[in-house]
Amino acid sequence: MDETRPVRFGPLIRGIDAITLAGGVVAAACLMALFGLIFAEVLARNIWGTSLSFSWDYAAYMMGACFLLAGGSALRGGAHVRVTALHEVVPARAVWCMDLAACLAGLLVTAFILWALGHMAWLSFGRGTTASSVIKTPLWIPQLVLAVGALIFVLQMLAQLLRVLRGETLIEDPKTEEAA
Amino acid sequence: MGKIGLTLLGLLALLLGSGVWVGLGLIGAGIGTLALFKPMMPVEKLFAQQAWNSAVSMEMLALPLFILMAEILFRTRLSEALFTGLAPWTRRLPGRLSHITVLSSTLFAAVSGSSAATTATVGRISASELIGRGYDRNLIIGSLAGAGTLGFLIPPSVIMIIYGVLAEESILKLFMAGILPGGLLALSYMGYLGFRAVMNPALVGDTPPHTTLMEKLAALRGLGPVLLLILAVIGSMYGGIASPTEAASVGVAGAILVGAFQRTLSVKTLAEAAYHAAQTSAMIGLIIIGAMFLSVSLGYLGLPRYIAGEIQALGLSPFALIVVLLVFYVILGCLMEGMSSIVMTLPITLPLVLAAGYDKVWFGVFLVLVVEMAQITPPVGFNLIVIQRITGDRIGTIARAALPFFFIMAAFALVIAVFPGIVTWLPDTLSARN
Amino acid sequence: QTAWDMSVVWPEGNFHTQDAMKFAEAVKEVTDGDVVITVHSGGALGIKGPEGMAAVRDGLVPIADILMSQQVGDAPELGVETLPYLAPTLADLALLHKFYRPKVEEVAESMNQKLLYMVPWPGQAVYSKNPINTIDDLAGLQLRVVDANGHDFFTRLGAAPLQMPWGEVVPSLAAGTISGVTTSSSSGVDGAFWEFLDNMSTFNWQASSNIVTVNLDAWNELSPEDQDAIEAVAEKLEGEFWLASKAEDDKKIAVLKENGVTVTAPSEELKAALLERAKPMWDDFKERVPGAAPYIDAYLAARQQ
Ligand code: NA
Ligand code: NA
């Protein structure tokens, strides 16, 4: 692509990338918390002979938060897998069209995910649904975290779409991000 | 029914073929098919429920933990030490260090209940090291894909627990029944690797230099931390300290300790490991959500049940039935997550198989094999996706590299159909003693 | 013709699933094939236990078999049965239902569904390595429980109750990571507990029932004749299912004994001690869920007489 072309959508994409990075960092913290909760249960049982009644529940919520909050950062880093067999046999212009179509479809589906998860959290809030286990956590709280993750995912998908629109190709190799 | 199946396949081909991210493509295909054929279904509620259930499923907690453990170990000098320590011992072995993938998968399968976790951990530690040492990329990737599936066959196993609950069979018996087939399958993989290496020596890395016995023993010292870690994880589980998922957290703690002890792990590298592991988990999580949603959508549309019913109507001989079921589950396994395909079809297939004279425990192991094959068939093949993340190869390339191992598994499934004793001997012998 | 998918989370061979199939068959018969119910066992429709009522409410499935006590996240009033020793025998439970059933119907209706029938599980036993003769035998016992009442009750008894997904339980029992489980005789047989634990004490400390509810929108689409016929057959079968539940308990306990499990009933002293620890939990519950208090009180008053 033409190097001298002005970088369109620059501020918007940079803003989204910052939010995406924050999501990824929080997701990493959730993953460490997941580990901490489960390991604490092992220690509590074996050292103090008691069980932490919240460890499994909260570890599971942490996993859900990790999955969704890192969704955008995984997309940004090229970690989300896609089938690119066709990309290698068609001309560059067609690759661009396919990437555009993939981003549009991705935007639709991630928007659906956001709507569905947000609606679920909203219903749980309105109905006052709690977990049915020992710790009666109001379910809208972890569900809202998932919805926030979905929102970051939608935003990053939009950023990907804008990148394609300004002529960039989608990141394919996870290794390139890792060096950064 | 045919129309539903074709629509679904068409949607999947369109979405995945044009390069939509796999998890999103599965969700999109599910939405489209439900909207067309089950218009009254509140799709967004169904999806939210499935996404929520998959994302916070306690059965899956070990997966992100093992991914985290592997990312931490990857940042220590552990894998290098492992291979340096073992290399001199494999001088005369056809296939040399390539067997490490199979052996460590087998060992790791005894700790982890899932194939994806086994593949992720072993792959992260061994794949780049082996490829860097001059081993053939396709051979390593293929053997990793194949051997990683042992996670379900060798106990503990999430699939066997689900099957045991559904079929009302002793889970302990199922666990015992998986040991011998798991070992034989691992040996078959090693046999294949050895055969390929003999036929084409260029596939394996350079011959390690000649070393004396003392040098060999000295090299083994590097294995100490690995052995301690494995002992800690296995010991915590079989020694009554931790449940299988909790053992994964012991593994993470052990990996942090190893890194701290070697002074290769800082707070910064630990944070990097967690960040990277979170991304990998998110990627797998999205695909699991998509696969579960698509599977459940198919269940509401009645497709798996319908086909299983058609097979029932064929009135096949016992062996023909097993062959047809093998084909059926392989096709189902391309599209569906393995566990769901079992849950949805078992009420029909289990009575069929029992009536054909096969044993309940035997069918459990057969189904585990079939689910393992589904792990390495595209587009929904979790092992392929995990490896894609590790090596950066394309799904198609990985699937092709895994194909020989797919055939080994298919052949093995037929072998146990002819010789069911391979499966039933150990549990029968052990439970007879009680 | 109306076709309903029915979600059941229990395996095909479980007696609740078998009941659901008998019900489906009877419905087809009494409606002359107008209403055909397909039973999906093993949670094949992706609906987990605690989501049963929400799934029927949201129209994911028109009809489902639901473990009532798992719905406390949506409606705390549905936790009444599972209070320790509130209704330890089937006769007690039947009496409780006499007062409590209208409340269950009311809750169901508030969630856009209609209660068709309810069937109890066999009582909850305690499976353990060592026999439990006195309350001291429970001290520090690492016992797997499934709900808040179980956690609370066994904490009061000096045990160390813990929560753990079912998939972790069998490997943990095999390795000795946990030393006991509280569940029904059915689940004890399903899990082949004799492989790990030698003793089963029929505490029967907790009752619980499954309910079968149908989405009101789906229900209202049926003709009045079909509705009457289904209600009648549900009532008739409910009686049979209760008897089957009792028979199920006897049958499963026999299987446990056959496999070498020592089955004992708690002594009178132990029973009294257990009841003494349980009673304060009733009051706690009534305070926390005032909507359920009148039903508990009416039942207890009737039982006194
Ligand atoms: Na395993
Ligand atoms: Na597959």
Side-chain angles (χ1 to χ4, degrees):
Chain A
M1 285 298 143
D2 189 355
E3 295 285 329
T4 57
R5 243 167 70 178
V7 183
R8 278 187 292 159
F9 318 117
L12 180 58
I13 289 178
R14 270 197 304 278
I16 291 176
D17 280 354
I19 295 171
T20 305
L21 179 69
V25 170
V26 176
C30 288
L31 183 55
M32 289 307 286
L34 187 171
F35 155 64
L37 283 162
I38 297 286
F39 193 60
E41 165 74 10
V42 179
L43 295 181
R45 244 196 1 254
N46 287 287
I47 298 177
W48 299 287
T50 176
S51 164
L52 308 173
S53 50
F54 55 84
S55 57
W56 284 95
D57 281 7
Y58 284 10
Y61 300 149
M62 288 300 163
M63 180 171 74
C66 169
F67 281 177
L68 270 293
L69 286 171
S73 121
L75 182 65
R76 173 79 184 92
H80 281 305
V81 184
R82 49 192 211 123
V83 181
T84 50
L86 212 53
H87 287 62
E88 276 149 50
V89 292
V90 298
R93 188 75 195 159
V95 168
W96 185 83
C97 288
M98 279 164 67
D99 278 352
L100 191 68
C103 284
L104 281 170
L107 201 57
L108 277 176
V109 178
T110 47
F112 173 84
I113 297 175
L114 172 60
W115 173 49
L117 293 180
H119 187 57
M120 172 173 64
W122 176 248
L123 279 182
S124 295
F125 180 72
R127 292 171 177 176
T129 309
T130 67
S132 58
S133 58
V134 172
I135 307 292
K136 297 187 169 49
T137 314
L139 285 183
W140 68 268
I141 300 171
Q143 288 172 349
L144 184 67
V145 176
L146 264 62
V148 169
L151 175 65
I152 297 176
F153 203 179
V154 171
L155 289 174
Q156 185 53 239
M157 191 59 83
L158 179 70
Q160 296 291 329
L161 178 71
L162 297 178
R163 283 195 179 91
V164 171
L165 276 178
R166 73 183 185 194
E168 289 173 30
T169 47
L170 293 172
I171 299 169
E172 293 304 342
D173 183 10
K175 293 289 172 289
T176 51
E177 164 80 354
E178 205 176 306
Chain B
M1 279 297 160
K3 223 159 82 184
I4 297 178
L6 285 178
T7 309
L8 178 81
L9 285 177
L11 270 173
L12 268 180
L14 181 71
L15 287 167
L16 298 183
S18 65
V20 175
W21 294 266
V22 174
L24 300 178
L26 300 177
I27 296 169
I31 298 170
T33 318
L34 277 179
L36 282 173
F37 296 101
K38 197 107 180 157
M40 299 305 286
M41 170 65 71
V43 182
E44 89 286 358
K45 284 184 177 135
L46 180 68
F47 171 78
Q49 183 202 44
Q50 291 309 313
W52 170 251
N53 282 343
S54 318
V56 303
S57 137
M58 292 180 189
E59 285 76 28
M60 239 169 47
L61 280 171
L63 182 63
L65 284 175
F66 279 127
I67 289 173
L68 177 61
M69 176 179 107
E71 284 302 328
I72 295 170
L73 290 181
F74 182 73
R75 285 163 174 79
T76 66
R77 281 194 308 268
L78 195 102
S79 41
E80 197 194 325
L82 175 71
F83 287 94
T84 310
L86 289 175
W89 296 85
T90 60
R91 232 170 92 86
R92 289 168 192 279
L93 189 66
R96 286 196 206 100
L97 285 172
S98 67
H99 298 292
I100 299 285
T101 312
V102 179
L103 284 173
S104 42
S105 294
T106 312
L107 198 60
F108 195 77
V111 179
S112 122
S114 95
S115 292
T118 306
T119 311
T121 313
V122 174
R124 196 70 171 123
I125 294 163
S126 72
S128 50
E129 184 74 24
L130 281 171
I131 293 167
R133 283 170 184 255
Y135 284 76
D136 182 64
R137 198 178 182 92
N138 281 336
L139 197 64
I140 295 307
I141 290 173
S143 67
L144 180 59
T149 64
L150 290 171
F152 283 140
L153 192 56
I154 294 172
S157 159
V158 180
I159 298 272
M160 281 183 181
I161 289 170
I162 302 275
Y163 175 83
V165 169
L166 290 175
E168 299 179 54
E169 180 52 78
S170 152
I171 292 166
L172 203 61
K173 252 183 156 178
L174 286 163
F175 278 6
M176 290 191 283
I179 296 174
L180 190 58
L184 287 177
L185 200 53
L187 280 178
S188 316
Y189 294 154
M190 291 172 69
Y192 172 76
L193 288 175
F195 171 76
R196 288 291 307 277
V198 169
M199 297 309 286
N200 182 3
L203 291 177
V204 293
D206 304 332
T207 316
H210 180 79
T211 44
T212 65
L213 184 63
M214 285 314 287
E215 284 169 327
K216 280 185 187 141
L217 288 176
L220 276 184
R221 267 193 322 213
L223 293 183
V226 190
L227 288 177
L228 272 178
L229 183 61
I230 292 171
L231 273 180
V233 177
I234 296 188
S236 71
M237 192 167 74
Y238 290 98
I241 291 169
S243 74
T245 300
E246 291 166 353
S249 76
V250 174
V252 176
I256 294 175
L257 271 182
V258 167
F261 196 70
Q262 288 186 342
R263 296 168 188 282
T264 43
L265 197 68
S266 62
V267 174
K268 184 170 167 283
T269 47
L270 183 61
E272 272 171 20
Y275 186 76
H276 200 263
Q279 282 197 350
T280 304
S281 303
M283 180 271 289
I284 297 176
L286 180 67
I287 292 170
I288 290 174
I289 289 172
M292 286 307 293
F293 173 63
L294 185 65
S295 304
V296 168
S297 306
L298 285 176
Y300 275 97
L301 295 164
L303 202 60
R305 229 177 144 96
Y306 170 79
I307 301 175
E310 294 290 294
I311 293 175
Q312 181 176 25
L314 292 176
L316 298 163
S317 72
F319 188 72
L321 174 71
I322 295 304
V323 174
V324 170
L325 283 180
L326 183 64
V327 174
F328 166 61
Y329 278 113
V330 164
I331 294 172
L332 217 54
C334 289
L335 299 177
M336 283 176 73
E337 189 269 330
M339 207 116 64
S340 330
S341 68
I342 292 182
V343 172
M344 277 171 212
T345 55
L346 202 62
I348 297 169
T349 56
L350 181 62
L352 273 182
V353 170
L354 294 184
Y358 289 95
D359 181 85
K360 231 189 224 181
V361 172
W362 180 88
F363 191 50
V365 170
F366 175 82
L367 282 180
V368 167
L369 270 175
V370 164
V371 168
E372 299 207 330
M373 290 160 72
Q375 298 277 321
I376 56 171
T377 53
V380 187
F382 283 95
N383 278 15
L384 304 179
I385 285 156
V386 167
I387 294 173
Q388 206 261 12
R389 171 71 169 150
I390 294 170
T391 67
D393 290 278
R394 291 195 289 110
I395 297 264
T397 312
I398 303 166
R400 259 199 307 279
L403 202 58
F405 295 87
F406 174 84
F407 285 127
I408 292 175
M409 273 191 255
F412 192 75
L414 294 179
V415 166
I416 65 162
V418 179
F419 305 105
I422 297 174
V423 174
T424 52
W425 177 75
L426 192 60
D428 286 351
T429 313
L430 288 178
S431 48
R433 271 199 329 204
N434 289 341
Chain C
Q1 202 209 30
T2 309
W4 283 350
D5 285 316
M6 180 172 184
S7 166
V8 179
V9 298
W10 324 105
E12 191 92 345
N14 182 280
F15 75 101
H16 283 293
T17 313
Q18 295 298 320
D19 285 353
M21 287 172 166
K22 279 179 209 142
F23 176 69
E25 221 162 90
V27 164
K28 190 173 169 186
E29 207 180 291
V30 298
T31 59
D32 288 324
D34 282 351
V35 181
V36 179
I37 301 174
T38 308
V39 176
H40 297 263
S41 64
L45 294 180
I47 296 164
K48 305 236 177 205
E51 298 162 349
M53 284 191 98
V56 172
R57 171 191 215 161
D58 292 338
L60 297 183
V61 281
I63 180 169
D65 175 278
I66 296 157
L67 175 54
M68 190 157 55
S69 58
Q70 280 187 318
Q71 315 304 308
V72 289
D74 281 301
E77 299 88 350
L78 297 184
V80 169
E81 283 186 325
T82 56
L83 282 170
Y85 288 110
L86 185 68
T89 68
L90 274 185
D92 290 333
L93 190 64
L95 182 64
L96 172 64
H97 278 195
K98 209 178 118 192
F99 298 95
Y100 177 50
R101 188 182 186 118
K103 182 67 188 173
V104 178
E105 283 170 346
E106 184 193 313
V107 170
E109 204 178 328
S110 75
M111 295 172 79
N112 195 36
Q113 47 207 294
K114 178 185 169 56
L115 174 67
L116 287 177
Y117 65 81
M118 47 205 297
V119 181
W121 284 89
Q124 298 277 304
V126 174
Y127 297 81
S128 56
K129 280 222 153 63
N130 303 314
I132 296 168
N133 299 318
T134 68
I135 242 174
D136 295 333
D137 293 330
L138 284 165
L141 182 72
Q142 302 207 321
L143 183 77
R144 191 253 186 179
V145 298
V146 288
D147 70 341
N149 281 335
H151 192 90
D152 194 5
F153 183 50
F154 284 98
T155 304
R156 285 164 193 253
L157 291 172
L162 56 95
Q163 302 230 292
M164 188 179 263
W166 178 249
E168 306 278 302
V169 169
V170 166
S172 299
L173 280 174
T177 312
I178 59 175
S179 43
V181 174
T182 171
T183 187
S184 66
S185 53
S186 291
S187 302
V189 171
D190 290 352
F193 279 1
W194 49 83
E195 287 167 347
F196 326 101
L197 300 166
D198 293 333
N199 294 281
M200 183 240 212
S201 185
T202 53
F203 268 47
N204 287 346
W205 64 274
Q206 184 179 51
S208 60
S209 302
N210 278 9
I211 54 178
V212 168
T213 66
V214 56
N215 179 286
L216 272 178
D217 302 329
W219 177 254
N220 291 333
E221 275 171 30
L222 301 184
S223 71
E225 298 79 52
D226 283 345
Q227 288 180 346
D228 291 345
I230 293 174
E231 276 183 300
V233 79
E235 197 185 330
K236 177 177 146 271
L237 283 175
E238 184 173 294
E240 290 176 24
F241 292 163
W242 275 62
L243 294 177
S245 173
K246 171 76 183 114
E248 165 84 6
D249 197 24
D250 297 340
K251 200 174 84 193
K252 292 293 156 95
I253 286 180
V255 174
L256 288 167
K257 283 180 177 164
E258 249 167 60
N259 284 285
V261 177
T262 310
V263 179
T264 53
S267 64
E268 287 306 316
E269 298 84 58
L270 179 56
K271 254 192 202 159
L274 294 172
L275 186 62
E276 187 197 310
R277 304 279 214 294
K279 273 185 171 164
M281 289 180 61
W282 305 354
D283 298 325
D284 291 354
F285 182 81
K286 285 196 292 192
E287 205 167 295
R288 191 165 58 78
V289 189
Y295 305 94
I296 297 175
D297 292 338
Y299 153 74
L300 287 175
R303 200 175 66 169
Q304 288 276 300
Q305 287 158 13

